[in-house]
Amino acid sequence: MKTDPGGAANESGNVKNPTGVLEHEIRTCPACGTKFSATGAAGLCPVCMLRGVAAGASASSKAPDTASALERGFEQRDPISVSRRFENYELMVDERGTPIQLGRGAMGITYKAFDVDLRCPVTLKVINERYVGEESARRRFLREARSAASLHHTNVASVFHLGRSGPDYFYVMEFVEGETLGKLDQTFRPA
Amino acid sequence: MSSRIFKRSARAFRAPRIASQRIVNLDQSSREGGVDRFRTTRWDIVLLSAQSQAVGYKEALAELYNLYWYPLYAFVRRRGHSPEDAQDLTQGFFLDLLEHKAFTRVDQQNGKFRSFLLASLRHYLANETRSALSLKRGAHIEFVYLDMQNIQNAENRYGREEPIEALTPEKIFDARWAMALLGEARKRLSLEYSAEGRAATFEALIDFLDPLNSKKLPSYDQVADQLNVSVAAVKTLIHRLRKQYTELVREEISRTVSNASDVDAETHELCEALIAAEGRILP
């Protein structure tokens, strides 16, 4: 379903194949990590669209200003809005002040952080902002942390701390300098 | 393929919309912010009407079913049926729904339209035989919901969707259902703007619904010039667009569940199905 580069673009920028059928490409949402199918330049992550509903609804039940609450539901997608401090761990930021993301999946986001007590870099994984406050996601995240902590191997980053940030969990792993496996795979993949 | 039925269907396709308003009030319309909302049929009201055999419930059910028949069609296809058989079975299933007592088995308190349809379809597929299907074709058919163009589009779409072997047919069904739901909400949003004569505003702002995933997001200044309004007004318009869309999505979800308290749970289930589908379901 990748976009055909040879296809003809229509007025809205969508690409059609020679048979006139709109081509789709699979994209990964930078906000929630979900893979979704999109047409042309426009892209609506279906999970974010649905989560925007859930976030807006839960916010509106607490605040009388429904409009601004709904807006906050969308604003939760802003990756910069994440809390910077998790117990004794501080998220490290780039030159623009944005937390340095090491990875992002459907369930969680990993950041480069700094252990202010031991004074060393660590990897900190938090639950994706789209799932904050969700009980089933919290349970899955906890299960993932426990499974990861049970693994001990020289090629697997060790989990050494599980903590709570409000109602939600985060866990901390050793920080390994280098590239991701995916990037290495791309670099050394035969042409 | 039962082309005789499908030829009739092209004519009957929109008829239930008119009839349902006249015969029984199964719809909920709203007027919010000076905007007339397009009428929507709610599953819980259809269910109550079906269980009490109220006049007009068939038309209202047809309207709801019309929105979500593609996931059912794809489910049948995935069970190994040919396109022709899938068309007949999907259509036969709907007719069976209208004639059968399936509604009496539904728990009014915990009913979801999605779960009801899938459970009923599985039940129907388990019992259906070719001979029964043939009988159905020849029976008097009052409501037909498919037309040739819809079927062809469905088959084209099904053929372009990549196989998802690791997922259960039920999970794929849920993901397709979610896409159908979001598509309907977007369509209604577009119709609302068009009805107000603001189609150009909708087109100019639609990418801002999900700015992170738009490849060519225009600047506020560009949109302000395009719409001949101030930048502050553009921000307000985007805010309103998002609010309207959010409300429509929630409305679409709520019309398929019996209790308002089920909306969040339904939302989360659909999200999980979409995440698992990994983009292999087309919008």
PDB file of all heavy atoms in Angstrom, chain A residues 1 21-22 25 27 29-30 35 37 41 45 51 57 71 74 77 131 140, chain B residues 160 162 182 210 213 215 239 242 245-246 249-250 268 271-272 275 279 282:
ATOM      1  N   MET A   1       0.820  -1.207   0.000  1.00  0.00           N
ATOM      2  CA  MET A   1       0.000   0.000   0.000  1.00  0.00           C
ATOM      3  C   MET A   1       0.853   1.257   0.000  1.00  0.00           C
ATOM      4  O   MET A   1       0.380   2.331   0.275  1.00  0.00           O
ATOM      5  CB  MET A   1      -0.902   0.005   1.232  1.00  0.00           C
ATOM      6  CG  MET A   1      -2.078  -0.932   1.091  1.00  0.00           C
ATOM      7  SD  MET A   1      -3.308  -0.625   2.356  1.00  0.00           S
ATOM      8  CE  MET A   1      -2.456  -1.261   3.778  1.00  0.00           C
ATOM      9  N   VAL A  21      -7.234   4.217  -8.712  1.00  0.00           N
ATOM     10  CA  VAL A  21      -7.545   3.946  -7.314  1.00  0.00           C
ATOM     11  C   VAL A  21      -6.586   4.728  -6.414  1.00  0.00           C
ATOM     12  O   VAL A  21      -5.391   4.756  -6.664  1.00  0.00           O
ATOM     13  CB  VAL A  21      -7.414   2.434  -7.018  1.00  0.00           C
ATOM     14  CG1 VAL A  21      -7.694   2.146  -5.552  1.00  0.00           C
ATOM     15  CG2 VAL A  21      -8.348   1.645  -7.913  1.00  0.00           C
ATOM     16  N   LEU A  22      -7.118   5.373  -5.398  1.00  0.00           N
ATOM     17  CA  LEU A  22      -6.268   6.139  -4.476  1.00  0.00           C
ATOM     18  C   LEU A  22      -5.294   5.215  -3.746  1.00  0.00           C
ATOM     19  O   LEU A  22      -5.670   4.169  -3.246  1.00  0.00           O
ATOM     20  CB  LEU A  22      -7.139   6.852  -3.437  1.00  0.00           C
ATOM     21  CG  LEU A  22      -7.808   8.152  -3.876  1.00  0.00           C
ATOM     22  CD1 LEU A  22      -8.672   8.679  -2.747  1.00  0.00           C
ATOM     23  CD2 LEU A  22      -6.777   9.186  -4.279  1.00  0.00           C
ATOM     24  N   GLU A  25      -0.555   4.913   2.097  1.00  0.00           N
ATOM     25  CA  GLU A  25       0.726   4.538   2.670  1.00  0.00           C
ATOM     26  C   GLU A  25       0.555   4.371   4.174  1.00  0.00           C
ATOM     27  O   GLU A  25      -0.295   5.008   4.790  1.00  0.00           O
ATOM     28  CB  GLU A  25       1.794   5.587   2.366  1.00  0.00           C
ATOM     29  CG  GLU A  25       1.512   6.940   2.973  1.00  0.00           C
ATOM     30  CD  GLU A  25       2.688   7.880   2.792  1.00  0.00           C
ATOM     31  OE1 GLU A  25       3.829   7.414   2.876  1.00  0.00           O
ATOM     32  OE2 GLU A  25       2.458   9.078   2.575  1.00  0.00           O
ATOM     33  N   ARG A  27       1.696   5.062   7.764  1.00  0.00           N
ATOM     34  CA  ARG A  27       2.509   6.024   8.513  1.00  0.00           C
ATOM     35  C   ARG A  27       2.474   5.657   9.991  1.00  0.00           C
ATOM     36  O   ARG A  27       1.574   4.964  10.448  1.00  0.00           O
ATOM     37  CB  ARG A  27       1.961   7.443   8.341  1.00  0.00           C
ATOM     38  CG  ARG A  27       2.037   7.941   6.916  1.00  0.00           C
ATOM     39  CD  ARG A  27       1.581   9.391   6.857  1.00  0.00           C
ATOM     40  NE  ARG A  27       1.294   9.762   5.480  1.00  0.00           N
ATOM     41  CZ  ARG A  27       0.533  10.795   5.134  1.00  0.00           C
ATOM     42  NH1 ARG A  27      -0.026  11.549   6.062  1.00  0.00           N
ATOM     43  NH2 ARG A  27       0.322  11.073   3.874  1.00  0.00           N
ATOM     44  N   CYS A  29       2.202   7.376  13.620  1.00  0.00           N
ATOM     45  CA  CYS A  29       1.833   8.632  14.272  1.00  0.00           C
ATOM     46  C   CYS A  29       2.923   9.040  15.273  1.00  0.00           C
ATOM     47  O   CYS A  29       3.275   8.242  16.155  1.00  0.00           O
ATOM     48  CB  CYS A  29       0.491   8.475  14.988  1.00  0.00           C
ATOM     49  SG  CYS A  29       0.044   9.923  15.945  1.00  0.00           S
ATOM     50  N   PRO A  30       3.467  10.248  15.137  1.00  0.00           N
ATOM     51  CA  PRO A  30       4.501  10.665  16.080  1.00  0.00           C
ATOM     52  C   PRO A  30       3.966  10.883  17.495  1.00  0.00           C
ATOM     53  O   PRO A  30       4.747  10.935  18.452  1.00  0.00           O
ATOM     54  CB  PRO A  30       5.009  11.979  15.488  1.00  0.00           C
ATOM     55  CG  PRO A  30       3.900  12.480  14.644  1.00  0.00           C
ATOM     56  CD  PRO A  30       3.159  11.279  14.143  1.00  0.00           C
ATOM     57  N   LYS A  35       0.572   2.757  13.911  1.00  0.00           N
ATOM     58  CA  LYS A  35       0.667   2.729  12.453  1.00  0.00           C
ATOM     59  C   LYS A  35      -0.735   2.863  11.888  1.00  0.00           C
ATOM     60  O   LYS A  35      -1.666   2.205  12.360  1.00  0.00           O
ATOM     61  CB  LYS A  35       1.297   1.427  11.987  1.00  0.00           C
ATOM     62  CG  LYS A  35       2.770   1.324  12.325  1.00  0.00           C
ATOM     63  CD  LYS A  35       3.328   0.016  11.816  1.00  0.00           C
ATOM     64  CE  LYS A  35       4.819  -0.074  12.141  1.00  0.00           C
ATOM     65  NZ  LYS A  35       5.365  -1.395  11.806  1.00  0.00           N
ATOM     66  N   SER A  37      -3.091   3.925   8.064  1.00  0.00           N
ATOM     67  CA  SER A  37      -3.078   4.096   6.622  1.00  0.00           C
ATOM     68  C   SER A  37      -3.559   5.496   6.278  1.00  0.00           C
ATOM     69  O   SER A  37      -4.589   5.946   6.778  1.00  0.00           O
ATOM     70  CB  SER A  37      -3.996   3.044   5.986  1.00  0.00           C
ATOM     71  OG  SER A  37      -3.952   3.147   4.602  1.00  0.00           O
ATOM     72  N   ALA A  41      -1.286  13.846   1.308  1.00  0.00           N
ATOM     73  CA  ALA A  41      -0.611  14.658   2.321  1.00  0.00           C
ATOM     74  C   ALA A  41      -1.356  14.642   3.648  1.00  0.00           C
ATOM     75  O   ALA A  41      -0.762  14.730   4.717  1.00  0.00           O
ATOM     76  CB  ALA A  41      -0.476  16.088   1.822  1.00  0.00           C
ATOM     77  N   CYS A  45      -4.586  10.266  12.323  1.00  0.00           N
ATOM     78  CA  CYS A  45      -4.328   9.055  13.097  1.00  0.00           C
ATOM     79  C   CYS A  45      -5.643   8.643  13.763  1.00  0.00           C
ATOM     80  O   CYS A  45      -6.176   9.397  14.591  1.00  0.00           O
ATOM     81  CB  CYS A  45      -3.258   9.294  14.153  1.00  0.00           C
ATOM     82  SG  CYS A  45      -3.146   7.929  15.331  1.00  0.00           S
ATOM     83  N   ARG A  51      -8.874   8.819  20.722  1.00  0.00           N
ATOM     84  CA  ARG A  51      -8.363   9.171  22.053  1.00  0.00           C
ATOM     85  C   ARG A  51      -8.683  10.617  22.390  1.00  0.00           C
ATOM     86  O   ARG A  51      -8.901  10.954  23.550  1.00  0.00           O
ATOM     87  CB  ARG A  51      -6.855   8.960  22.123  1.00  0.00           C
ATOM     88  CG  ARG A  51      -6.441   7.526  22.061  1.00  0.00           C
ATOM     89  CD  ARG A  51      -6.664   6.838  23.387  1.00  0.00           C
ATOM     90  NE  ARG A  51      -6.444   5.411  23.242  1.00  0.00           N
ATOM     91  CZ  ARG A  51      -6.878   4.493  24.084  1.00  0.00           C
ATOM     92  NH1 ARG A  51      -7.549   4.838  25.142  1.00  0.00           N
ATOM     93  NH2 ARG A  51      -6.646   3.214  23.869  1.00  0.00           N
ATOM     94  N   ALA A  57     -13.631  13.825  26.732  1.00  0.00           N
ATOM     95  CA  ALA A  57     -14.786  13.461  27.548  1.00  0.00           C
ATOM     96  C   ALA A  57     -14.418  13.396  29.023  1.00  0.00           C
ATOM     97  O   ALA A  57     -15.147  13.901  29.871  1.00  0.00           O
ATOM     98  CB  ALA A  57     -15.327  12.114  27.079  1.00  0.00           C
ATOM     99  N   GLU A  71     -10.424  20.843  23.984  1.00  0.00           N
ATOM    100  CA  GLU A  71      -9.172  21.295  23.383  1.00  0.00           C
ATOM    101  C   GLU A  71      -7.990  20.670  24.112  1.00  0.00           C
ATOM    102  O   GLU A  71      -7.018  20.254  23.508  1.00  0.00           O
ATOM    103  CB  GLU A  71      -9.101  22.822  23.457  1.00  0.00           C
ATOM    104  CG  GLU A  71      -7.939  23.413  22.697  1.00  0.00           C
ATOM    105  CD  GLU A  71      -8.134  23.342  21.198  1.00  0.00           C
ATOM    106  OE1 GLU A  71      -9.120  22.768  20.728  1.00  0.00           O
ATOM    107  OE2 GLU A  71      -7.279  23.855  20.506  1.00  0.00           O
ATOM    108  N   PHE A  74      -6.979  17.352  22.849  1.00  0.00           N
ATOM    109  CA  PHE A  74      -6.077  17.375  21.710  1.00  0.00           C
ATOM    110  C   PHE A  74      -4.679  17.790  22.136  1.00  0.00           C
ATOM    111  O   PHE A  74      -3.690  17.269  21.653  1.00  0.00           O
ATOM    112  CB  PHE A  74      -6.581  18.360  20.647  1.00  0.00           C
ATOM    113  CG  PHE A  74      -7.662  17.779  19.794  1.00  0.00           C
ATOM    114  CD1 PHE A  74      -8.989  18.017  20.069  1.00  0.00           C
ATOM    115  CD2 PHE A  74      -7.347  16.974  18.722  1.00  0.00           C
ATOM    116  CE1 PHE A  74      -9.988  17.470  19.285  1.00  0.00           C
ATOM    117  CE2 PHE A  74      -8.337  16.414  17.929  1.00  0.00           C
ATOM    118  CZ  PHE A  74      -9.663  16.670  18.214  1.00  0.00           C
ATOM    119  N   ARG A  77      -1.640  15.601  23.077  1.00  0.00           N
ATOM    120  CA  ARG A  77      -0.748  14.960  22.125  1.00  0.00           C
ATOM    121  C   ARG A  77       0.593  15.675  22.045  1.00  0.00           C
ATOM    122  O   ARG A  77       1.527  15.201  21.435  1.00  0.00           O
ATOM    123  CB  ARG A  77      -1.386  14.956  20.737  1.00  0.00           C
ATOM    124  CG  ARG A  77      -2.635  14.144  20.663  1.00  0.00           C
ATOM    125  CD  ARG A  77      -2.768  13.514  19.308  1.00  0.00           C
ATOM    126  NE  ARG A  77      -2.520  14.436  18.241  1.00  0.00           N
ATOM    127  CZ  ARG A  77      -3.456  15.207  17.712  1.00  0.00           C
ATOM    128  NH1 ARG A  77      -4.658  15.182  18.177  1.00  0.00           N
ATOM    129  NH2 ARG A  77      -3.161  16.002  16.722  1.00  0.00           N
ATOM    130  N   TYR A 131      -2.665   7.293  27.104  1.00  0.00           N
ATOM    131  CA  TYR A 131      -3.233   6.278  27.997  1.00  0.00           C
ATOM    132  C   TYR A 131      -3.181   6.679  29.464  1.00  0.00           C
ATOM    133  O   TYR A 131      -3.532   5.881  30.321  1.00  0.00           O
ATOM    134  CB  TYR A 131      -2.472   4.950  27.845  1.00  0.00           C
ATOM    135  CG  TYR A 131      -2.639   4.315  26.499  1.00  0.00           C
ATOM    136  CD1 TYR A 131      -1.686   4.493  25.510  1.00  0.00           C
ATOM    137  CD2 TYR A 131      -3.749   3.539  26.213  1.00  0.00           C
ATOM    138  CE1 TYR A 131      -1.833   3.910  24.264  1.00  0.00           C
ATOM    139  CE2 TYR A 131      -3.908   2.952  24.979  1.00  0.00           C
ATOM    140  CZ  TYR A 131      -2.944   3.143  24.008  1.00  0.00           C
ATOM    141  OH  TYR A 131      -3.097   2.570  22.784  1.00  0.00           O
ATOM    142  N   ARG A 140      -1.080  -3.184  31.850  1.00  0.00           N
ATOM    143  CA  ARG A 140      -0.200  -3.717  30.804  1.00  0.00           C
ATOM    144  C   ARG A 140       1.212  -3.167  30.937  1.00  0.00           C
ATOM    145  O   ARG A 140       2.191  -3.862  30.734  1.00  0.00           O
ATOM    146  CB  ARG A 140      -0.766  -3.369  29.419  1.00  0.00           C
ATOM    147  CG  ARG A 140      -1.785  -4.373  28.929  1.00  0.00           C
ATOM    148  CD  ARG A 140      -2.179  -4.093  27.506  1.00  0.00           C
ATOM    149  NE  ARG A 140      -2.909  -2.824  27.422  1.00  0.00           N
ATOM    150  CZ  ARG A 140      -3.098  -2.146  26.307  1.00  0.00           C
ATOM    151  NH1 ARG A 140      -2.592  -2.572  25.192  1.00  0.00           N
ATOM    152  NH2 ARG A 140      -3.774  -1.025  26.310  1.00  0.00           N
TER     153      ARG A 140
ATOM    154  N   ARG B 160      -7.449  -4.482  -1.659  1.00  0.00           N
ATOM    155  CA  ARG B 160      -6.262  -3.651  -1.450  1.00  0.00           C
ATOM    156  C   ARG B 160      -5.781  -3.696  -0.009  1.00  0.00           C
ATOM    157  O   ARG B 160      -4.685  -3.217   0.286  1.00  0.00           O
ATOM    158  CB  ARG B 160      -6.566  -2.196  -1.855  1.00  0.00           C
ATOM    159  CG  ARG B 160      -6.651  -2.017  -3.370  1.00  0.00           C
ATOM    160  CD  ARG B 160      -6.775  -0.554  -3.747  1.00  0.00           C
ATOM    161  NE  ARG B 160      -8.025   0.014  -3.302  1.00  0.00           N
ATOM    162  CZ  ARG B 160      -8.139   1.137  -2.621  1.00  0.00           C
ATOM    163  NH1 ARG B 160      -7.070   1.815  -2.288  1.00  0.00           N
ATOM    164  NH2 ARG B 160      -9.319   1.594  -2.258  1.00  0.00           N
ATOM    165  N   GLU B 162      -4.123  -5.206   3.113  1.00  0.00           N
ATOM    166  CA  GLU B 162      -3.141  -6.269   3.286  1.00  0.00           C
ATOM    167  C   GLU B 162      -3.644  -7.299   4.286  1.00  0.00           C
ATOM    168  O   GLU B 162      -4.354  -6.960   5.234  1.00  0.00           O
ATOM    169  CB  GLU B 162      -1.818  -5.672   3.796  1.00  0.00           C
ATOM    170  CG  GLU B 162      -1.145  -4.800   2.760  1.00  0.00           C
ATOM    171  CD  GLU B 162       0.171  -4.248   3.265  1.00  0.00           C
ATOM    172  OE1 GLU B 162       0.645  -4.691   4.322  1.00  0.00           O
ATOM    173  OE2 GLU B 162       0.710  -3.361   2.595  1.00  0.00           O
ATOM    174  N   LEU B 182     -15.225   6.534  12.224  1.00  0.00           N
ATOM    175  CA  LEU B 182     -14.517   7.808  12.042  1.00  0.00           C
ATOM    176  C   LEU B 182     -14.852   8.420  10.682  1.00  0.00           C
ATOM    177  O   LEU B 182     -14.974   9.647  10.561  1.00  0.00           O
ATOM    178  CB  LEU B 182     -13.006   7.584  12.157  1.00  0.00           C
ATOM    179  CG  LEU B 182     -12.494   7.313  13.571  1.00  0.00           C
ATOM    180  CD1 LEU B 182     -11.053   6.820  13.543  1.00  0.00           C
ATOM    181  CD2 LEU B 182     -12.590   8.568  14.436  1.00  0.00           C
ATOM    182  N   ASP B 210      -5.495  16.973  12.712  1.00  0.00           N
ATOM    183  CA  ASP B 210      -4.375  16.164  13.196  1.00  0.00           C
ATOM    184  C   ASP B 210      -3.087  16.743  12.627  1.00  0.00           C
ATOM    185  O   ASP B 210      -2.487  16.169  11.716  1.00  0.00           O
ATOM    186  CB  ASP B 210      -4.556  14.707  12.754  1.00  0.00           C
ATOM    187  CG  ASP B 210      -3.588  13.776  13.476  1.00  0.00           C
ATOM    188  OD1 ASP B 210      -2.756  14.274  14.260  1.00  0.00           O
ATOM    189  OD2 ASP B 210      -3.672  12.564  13.239  1.00  0.00           O
ATOM    190  N   ASN B 213       0.205  14.763  11.891  1.00  0.00           N
ATOM    191  CA  ASN B 213       0.256  13.772  10.817  1.00  0.00           C
ATOM    192  C   ASN B 213      -0.018  14.353   9.443  1.00  0.00           C
ATOM    193  O   ASN B 213      -0.185  13.606   8.480  1.00  0.00           O
ATOM    194  CB  ASN B 213      -0.733  12.645  11.113  1.00  0.00           C
ATOM    195  CG  ASN B 213      -0.213  11.725  12.190  1.00  0.00           C
ATOM    196  OD1 ASN B 213       0.862  11.138  12.045  1.00  0.00           O
ATOM    197  ND2 ASN B 213      -0.933  11.637  13.296  1.00  0.00           N
ATOM    198  N   LYS B 215       1.294  16.195   6.208  1.00  0.00           N
ATOM    199  CA  LYS B 215       2.594  16.400   5.575  1.00  0.00           C
ATOM    200  C   LYS B 215       2.771  17.827   5.070  1.00  0.00           C
ATOM    201  O   LYS B 215       3.888  18.305   4.920  1.00  0.00           O
ATOM    202  CB  LYS B 215       2.763  15.426   4.403  1.00  0.00           C
ATOM    203  CG  LYS B 215       3.131  14.014   4.829  1.00  0.00           C
ATOM    204  CD  LYS B 215       3.443  13.154   3.630  1.00  0.00           C
ATOM    205  CE  LYS B 215       3.975  11.793   4.067  1.00  0.00           C
ATOM    206  NZ  LYS B 215       4.181  10.903   2.900  1.00  0.00           N
ATOM    207  N   HIS B 239     -10.160  25.585  16.596  1.00  0.00           N
ATOM    208  CA  HIS B 239     -10.680  25.120  17.888  1.00  0.00           C
ATOM    209  C   HIS B 239     -12.106  24.594  17.721  1.00  0.00           C
ATOM    210  O   HIS B 239     -12.459  23.518  18.226  1.00  0.00           O
ATOM    211  CB  HIS B 239     -10.632  26.278  18.881  1.00  0.00           C
ATOM    212  CG  HIS B 239     -11.352  25.993  20.155  1.00  0.00           C
ATOM    213  ND1 HIS B 239     -10.766  25.303  21.201  1.00  0.00           N
ATOM    214  CD2 HIS B 239     -12.609  26.289  20.556  1.00  0.00           C
ATOM    215  CE1 HIS B 239     -11.650  25.196  22.179  1.00  0.00           C
ATOM    216  NE2 HIS B 239     -12.763  25.789  21.820  1.00  0.00           N
ATOM    217  N   ARG B 242     -12.243  21.264  15.748  1.00  0.00           N
ATOM    218  CA  ARG B 242     -11.867  20.122  16.587  1.00  0.00           C
ATOM    219  C   ARG B 242     -12.985  19.764  17.556  1.00  0.00           C
ATOM    220  O   ARG B 242     -13.289  18.596  17.776  1.00  0.00           O
ATOM    221  CB  ARG B 242     -10.594  20.455  17.369  1.00  0.00           C
ATOM    222  CG  ARG B 242      -9.357  20.475  16.518  1.00  0.00           C
ATOM    223  CD  ARG B 242      -8.196  20.991  17.317  1.00  0.00           C
ATOM    224  NE  ARG B 242      -6.941  20.867  16.590  1.00  0.00           N
ATOM    225  CZ  ARG B 242      -5.781  21.316  17.048  1.00  0.00           C
ATOM    226  NH1 ARG B 242      -5.711  21.913  18.222  1.00  0.00           N
ATOM    227  NH2 ARG B 242      -4.690  21.166  16.345  1.00  0.00           N
ATOM    228  N   TYR B 245     -15.746  18.069  15.661  1.00  0.00           N
ATOM    229  CA  TYR B 245     -15.367  16.718  15.258  1.00  0.00           C
ATOM    230  C   TYR B 245     -15.407  15.770  16.460  1.00  0.00           C
ATOM    231  O   TYR B 245     -15.922  14.658  16.382  1.00  0.00           O
ATOM    232  CB  TYR B 245     -13.975  16.727  14.631  1.00  0.00           C
ATOM    233  CG  TYR B 245     -13.519  15.365  14.164  1.00  0.00           C
ATOM    234  CD1 TYR B 245     -14.106  14.774  13.043  1.00  0.00           C
ATOM    235  CD2 TYR B 245     -12.531  14.666  14.835  1.00  0.00           C
ATOM    236  CE1 TYR B 245     -13.707  13.526  12.608  1.00  0.00           C
ATOM    237  CE2 TYR B 245     -12.122  13.414  14.405  1.00  0.00           C
ATOM    238  CZ  TYR B 245     -12.714  12.850  13.289  1.00  0.00           C
ATOM    239  OH  TYR B 245     -12.321  11.606  12.868  1.00  0.00           O
ATOM    240  N   THR B 246     -14.867  16.240  17.572  1.00  0.00           N
ATOM    241  CA  THR B 246     -14.855  15.420  18.779  1.00  0.00           C
ATOM    242  C   THR B 246     -16.278  15.058  19.195  1.00  0.00           C
ATOM    243  O   THR B 246     -16.563  13.910  19.556  1.00  0.00           O
ATOM    244  CB  THR B 246     -14.155  16.182  19.920  1.00  0.00           C
ATOM    245  OG1 THR B 246     -12.851  16.535  19.478  1.00  0.00           O
ATOM    246  CG2 THR B 246     -14.038  15.334  21.164  1.00  0.00           C
ATOM    247  N   VAL B 249     -17.674  12.440  16.722  1.00  0.00           N
ATOM    248  CA  VAL B 249     -17.138  11.087  16.939  1.00  0.00           C
ATOM    249  C   VAL B 249     -17.804  10.472  18.161  1.00  0.00           C
ATOM    250  O   VAL B 249     -18.242   9.316  18.154  1.00  0.00           O
ATOM    251  CB  VAL B 249     -15.600  11.113  17.121  1.00  0.00           C
ATOM    252  CG1 VAL B 249     -15.091   9.738  17.529  1.00  0.00           C
ATOM    253  CG2 VAL B 249     -14.917  11.558  15.831  1.00  0.00           C
ATOM    254  N   ARG B 250     -17.893  11.260  19.202  1.00  0.00           N
ATOM    255  CA  ARG B 250     -18.518  10.747  20.426  1.00  0.00           C
ATOM    256  C   ARG B 250     -19.997  10.405  20.180  1.00  0.00           C
ATOM    257  O   ARG B 250     -20.506   9.418  20.698  1.00  0.00           O
ATOM    258  CB  ARG B 250     -18.370  11.785  21.536  1.00  0.00           C
ATOM    259  CG  ARG B 250     -18.716  11.217  22.895  1.00  0.00           C
ATOM    260  CD  ARG B 250     -18.228  12.082  24.020  1.00  0.00           C
ATOM    261  NE  ARG B 250     -18.554  11.492  25.301  1.00  0.00           N
ATOM    262  CZ  ARG B 250     -17.830  10.561  25.912  1.00  0.00           C
ATOM    263  NH1 ARG B 250     -16.726  10.123  25.353  1.00  0.00           N
ATOM    264  NH2 ARG B 250     -18.194  10.066  27.079  1.00  0.00           N
ATOM    265  N   HIS B 268     -12.019   2.685  23.899  1.00  0.00           N
ATOM    266  CA  HIS B 268     -10.760   1.999  24.181  1.00  0.00           C
ATOM    267  C   HIS B 268     -10.642   0.674  23.425  1.00  0.00           C
ATOM    268  O   HIS B 268      -9.575   0.333  22.926  1.00  0.00           O
ATOM    269  CB  HIS B 268     -10.619   1.770  25.692  1.00  0.00           C
ATOM    270  CG  HIS B 268     -10.518   3.056  26.459  1.00  0.00           C
ATOM    271  ND1 HIS B 268     -11.019   3.217  27.714  1.00  0.00           N
ATOM    272  CD2 HIS B 268      -9.991   4.251  26.100  1.00  0.00           C
ATOM    273  CE1 HIS B 268     -10.806   4.467  28.114  1.00  0.00           C
ATOM    274  NE2 HIS B 268     -10.178   5.099  27.158  1.00  0.00           N
ATOM    275  N   CYS B 271      -9.760   1.493  19.888  1.00  0.00           N
ATOM    276  CA  CYS B 271      -8.361   1.938  19.795  1.00  0.00           C
ATOM    277  C   CYS B 271      -7.421   0.733  19.806  1.00  0.00           C
ATOM    278  O   CYS B 271      -6.466   0.666  19.019  1.00  0.00           O
ATOM    279  CB  CYS B 271      -8.005   2.873  20.953  1.00  0.00           C
ATOM    280  SG  CYS B 271      -8.618   4.529  20.707  1.00  0.00           S
ATOM    281  N   GLU B 272      -7.685  -0.191  20.678  1.00  0.00           N
ATOM    282  CA  GLU B 272      -6.818  -1.371  20.755  1.00  0.00           C
ATOM    283  C   GLU B 272      -6.846  -2.152  19.451  1.00  0.00           C
ATOM    284  O   GLU B 272      -5.822  -2.662  18.995  1.00  0.00           O
ATOM    285  CB  GLU B 272      -7.246  -2.252  21.927  1.00  0.00           C
ATOM    286  CG  GLU B 272      -6.962  -1.582  23.257  1.00  0.00           C
ATOM    287  CD  GLU B 272      -6.963  -2.563  24.422  1.00  0.00           C
ATOM    288  OE1 GLU B 272      -7.203  -3.754  24.184  1.00  0.00           O
ATOM    289  OE2 GLU B 272      -6.719  -2.111  25.542  1.00  0.00           O
ATOM    290  N   ILE B 275      -4.753  -0.188  16.889  1.00  0.00           N
ATOM    291  CA  ILE B 275      -3.315  -0.325  17.157  1.00  0.00           C
ATOM    292  C   ILE B 275      -2.837  -1.694  16.663  1.00  0.00           C
ATOM    293  O   ILE B 275      -1.804  -1.811  16.009  1.00  0.00           O
ATOM    294  CB  ILE B 275      -3.032  -0.146  18.666  1.00  0.00           C
ATOM    295  CG1 ILE B 275      -3.271   1.315  19.060  1.00  0.00           C
ATOM    296  CG2 ILE B 275      -1.611  -0.562  19.006  1.00  0.00           C
ATOM    297  CD1 ILE B 275      -3.342   1.535  20.561  1.00  0.00           C
ATOM    298  N   GLY B 279      -2.265  -0.243  10.738  1.00  0.00           N
ATOM    299  CA  GLY B 279      -2.428   0.541   9.514  1.00  0.00           C
ATOM    300  C   GLY B 279      -2.837  -0.242   8.291  1.00  0.00           C
ATOM    301  O   GLY B 279      -2.870   0.306   7.195  1.00  0.00           O
ATOM    302  N   LEU B 282      -7.795   0.198   5.539  1.00  0.00           N
ATOM    303  CA  LEU B 282      -7.849   1.465   4.804  1.00  0.00           C
ATOM    304  C   LEU B 282      -8.900   2.396   5.402  1.00  0.00           C
ATOM    305  O   LEU B 282      -9.912   1.935   5.912  1.00  0.00           O
ATOM    306  CB  LEU B 282      -8.183   1.205   3.335  1.00  0.00           C
ATOM    307  CG  LEU B 282      -7.174   0.366   2.565  1.00  0.00           C
ATOM    308  CD1 LEU B 282      -7.602   0.265   1.098  1.00  0.00           C
ATOM    309  CD2 LEU B 282      -5.788   0.959   2.657  1.00  0.00           C
TER     310      LEU B 282
END
